Amino acid sequence: MAITLLILAGSAVFFMSGRVRSDLVAICALLLLLLSGILEPAEALSGFSNSVVIMMIGLFIVGGGIFQTGLAKMISSRLLKLAGNSELKMFLVVMLATAFIGAFVSNTGTVALMLPIVVSMATSANMNPARLLMPLAFASSMGGMLTLIGTPPNLVIQDALIAAGFERLSFFSFTPVGLIVLAAGIILLSLLTRLLGTKRDEHDEAGHGNRSLKELAGEYQISQNLFRVRVKERSSLNGHKLAELDIPERFNISIIEVRRKTSHKNPFFKTLSQQFAGPDTLIAEGDILYVLGDFAQVKHFACKSGLQLMDATTREQDTSSAGSNTLSFQEIGIAEVLLTPTSILLNKYIKDSGFRERYNVNILGIKRKGEYKLRQLKDERIRIGDALLVQGTWSNIARLEREQSDLVVVGQPLQEAAKVTLDHKAPIAAGIMLLMVALMVLDLFPAVVSVMLAAVLMIITGCLRNMEQAYKTINWESIVLIAGMIPMSAALEKTGAASLLSGGLVGGLGSLGPLALLAGVYFTTSLMTMFISNTATAVLLAPIALAAAADIGASPYPFLFAVTIGASLCFASPFSTPPNALVMAAGKYTFMDYIKVGLPLQIIIGVLMIMVLPLLFPF
């Protein structure tokens, strides 16, 4: 028992110091429990097969799908309309929306649903996400107090009451308590979150200042010189490869992209495919060609070739729709290329540079001494100091970066590709998200099954591009942290340390009256939840609280409510509940951040509940 308590105390010290990664601390504590013989290997590794850990992995993937399809940005823009530019209104919207969802869905599922939305909201408002993410996690736990199904400890005390022969609780027996907790939480967090700072992280600021792909295209004035033409049935281009047509030489324009109708009739899937316009691209009837050049020359090209001119003029548009007259960056991207002073490409003509032949990329424009050239590029020489705007598939741009040592591709092409949202998949992601919520509310399957089903659907429907991207959405530090700490609760129970602590603290207060005993039950539960799971704490303390109430002849209801509230509302530790762990990485919180904000909140709400519970449920 003493060894277990020492390991627990040592872990707490390292967590609070923040000098060692939290996942490493958890693994070291796990190894010590294993090497000291307190836990068997199967017990020590049980955390990695725990349903909560598996559910968190699935929720990270679901959240990644919500982000990648642009659904988070769409929802956040609607919530931003409600909040406006007011940080207080944004805070209130997040707290109330999260608490409402948390009343019917597990707090872990609620946070996973709202986390990408809240991050997108904060980014759009140029606000530090840390100011909203901790309130998000705490609001999900507060929302769990609104209904019987909101959090597992509620069901634990329900079972304890029924087993002891008392009247069962109704679905909304918790609502008065939950509303008081939520109101107090909103007031306190509006003040306490000021401790987290207002400025965004310097790295985030730098990223925010970088040019987006649309900004890069706008800088080179691509959209103002981009036109669409449709290939008619009797067009002279029909059935020919681009290399055979010699369009740049004849018309002084460039075809940079082809969009072609696919067989999909479902509105949830793309109806146009995006193809790079290379020398071997075969033109077919119905193709939409994206042409870069002067409007008069494009018009002449359309008339001579039997094409339908779809744009009389163009202007900047904020869209990535496959049918718009702007470039889409889902499969094909753009990047700026800088040449080194010793590059073999210097003084070569664009037409002799070999970019298209070797790497299958087009040169769309040249930036030279602050001026931009987009026309008659084939006869331009590449000079020192030039920046080239190139276009091609993301993989070919990345290959250009890898294989050409005398040029530099600005940015990282494959990372830029990953940032491009799959907007046409947003309705599918929304459907999967709603299905997950419905399955959780109806309780048709265990929560972990509903979450894993949603995660798999996100991948197979293409809301995430591939399995590699799905794995990248998972925050492994949070997963290892929770999996490593779960066996700690087993060690505390196995050695009798948990029973000794809880029984001693609660039993010693019984003679001081019901209010003192209520306070003892509440704060014992609250303290233990910082180190073992809230469900395990509730299971452990519910029978003790029930017996203590019987010993002094008091009603068990306020004491059991103290157990479920104390177990559910633990804010002073990142690993006490999965929601706290879920937001830790995204908010870049340290253990001390939870102490600064969560500990005062936990204590004040505890004192409030000790005063309120006897009024709602008399002794």
Side-chain angles (χ1 to χ4, degrees), residues 2-26:
I3 295 174
T4 303
L5 293 175
L6 282 173
I7 294 171
L8 179 61
S11 300
V13 169
F14 279 108
F15 279 131
M16 288 186 282
S17 72
R19 294 182 179 179
V20 183
R21 277 179 55 130
S22 56
D23 52 346
L24 181 58
V25 173

Side-chain angles (χ1 to χ4, degrees), residues 214 217-219 221-224 314-318 326:
K214 287 192 175 74
E219 181 183 327
Q221 301 178 348
I222 295 298
S223 293
Q224 289 92 327
T314 60
R315 55 177 60 87
E316 287 291 320
Q317 295 183 14
D318 185 18
T326 56

Side-chain angles (χ1 to χ4, degrees), residues 74-94:
M74 294 176 197
I75 297 174
S76 68
S77 64
R78 293 181 182 274
L79 291 178
L80 274 174
K81 287 181 182 178
L82 292 174
N85 294 322
S86 168
E87 184 175 321
L88 177 60
K89 287 183 180 178
M90 202 178 301
F91 167 80
L92 289 173
V93 166
V94 169

Side-chain angles (χ1 to χ4, degrees), residues 160-191:
L161 285 167
I162 294 171
F166 290 94
E167 186 179 347
R168 67 173 56 241
L169 299 167
S170 71
F171 190 82
F172 293 108
S173 292
F174 295 83
T175 306
V177 177
L179 290 174
I180 294 170
V181 167
L182 181 59
I186 289 173
I187 294 169
L188 292 169
L189 281 172
S190 66
L191 302 173

